[in-house]
Amino acid sequence: MERTFAIIKPDAVSKKLAGQILARIEAAGFTVVAMRLQHLTKAEAEGFYAVHQARPFFGALTDFMSSGPCVLLCLEAPDAIKQWRALMGATDPAKAEPGTLRKDFGASIDNNATHGSDAPETAAFELGYFFRGLELR
Ligand code: CMP
């Protein structure tokens, strides 16, 4: 078993797609270990995406991620990191495979509905950034 960190981003929450995305997550076999609705501050979004701070899209990304509530998740499954990335599809919805969440629910590379950790080290950092140990037992 493996755990990964996932976000249903503000665009998807504001379009009332969170329930559909959660249903797809459960249908794909993931167990929801922890879940919280949270409206991030700009500073919280900047800390979360610190790895991208030199990228030209950092300001727009952190503005968007702090623009409304999102759903923060710890998901568990065999090979969860890879499997969640497969269910999301490519970062840019225009390049995502049919049947993936970003293809079905994302509008653009900025408003792409979901986030997922890309490696075990990132998952450990991202889960620890938002969840307390007690929530992840
Ligand atoms: P996410 O998986 O949350 O990780 C960083 C986010 O930055 C990414 O999804 C996109 O929504 C956003 N982004 C905007 N422009 C780019 C880009 N050129 N390359 C990668 N990510 C981008």
Side-chain angles (χ1 to χ4, degrees), residues 41-104:
T41 65
K42 173 87 169 163
E44 286 166 347
E46 286 171 346
F48 177 72
Y49 280 116
V51 67
H52 293 306
Q53 63 190 356
R55 308 285 289 273
F57 55 82
F58 184 68
L61 171 64
T62 52
D63 279 347
F64 163 64
M65 290 300 290
S66 56
S67 67
C70 55
V71 179
L72 310 173
L73 293 154
C74 173
L75 303 179
E76 186 172 79
D79 211 11
I81 294 170
K82 194 170 140 207
Q83 292 309 319
W84 171 236
R85 292 179 70 79
L87 182 59
M88 288 194 298
T91 305
D92 183 350
K95 295 179 184 155
E97 292 289 316
T100 62
L101 296 174
R102 283 166 166 166
K103 183 68 163 189
D104 292 346

